[in-house]
Amino acid sequence: MSSEEKRSWVYLVVGVGVAAVYLVTVLSKLPGADVTRIAYVRPMLVAIGAGIGLGIVASIAAAIASPRGEAGRTDERDRQIHRRGEYVGFYVMSVAATVPLALAMAEAAHFWIANALYLAFVLAMVASSTTKIVSYRRGF
C-alpha cells in the first residue's frame, strides 16, 4: 500500500469518525428542542479542529510506520489518482453546497445552514477519499 493510499484511508476514517461523533452529539439534542437554542458552534469548531489535528497525527504515524524510504514518495500514478479524487470531491462539494445556499435563501435557522454546510464538506471528503482508495484498489 502506497503512502498516498494510506493517507486517503486516514482521512476517510478520521473524517467519518469525527463527523459521526459531532452529529450524534448535536443531533441527540434535537428532539423536542428549539434549534435556535441548540449550542452547535463550539462542538462544530471542536470537530473541525479535532479532524484536522487527528488527520495530521494519524498521517505522521502512518508515515513513521511505512517501510524506510516509502513515505513521501509519489509517482505519476499517485498524482493522477490524487487529482481525480480532488476533482470528484470538488464536484460533490459544488452540488452539496446548493443545500445550505437554498436554506439561506429560505431564511432557515443558522443551525440548519451551518450543519448542511458541514455535511457538504464531509460528503466531499468522503467522495474524494473513496475515489482515491477505489482507484488504488481497482487500478487507474
Side-chain angles (χ1 to χ4, degrees), residues 116-129:
L117 189 56
Y118 181 67
L119 183 60
F121 279 113
V122 170
L123 291 174
M125 178 275 308
V126 168
S128 177
S129 295

Side-chain angles (χ1 to χ4, degrees), residues 9-59:
W9 276 106
V10 164
Y11 289 140
L12 181 64
V13 170
V14 168
V16 169
V18 168
V21 169
Y22 167 76
L23 289 173
V24 166
T25 301
V26 172
L27 295 182
S28 66
K29 300 173 185 176
L30 194 59
D34 179 16
V35 293
T36 59
R37 300 208 185 275
I38 295 176
Y40 69 91
V41 175
R42 182 171 285 135
M44 184 180 289
L45 292 175
V46 168
I48 292 168
I52 292 169
L54 288 172
I56 290 170
V57 169
S59 290

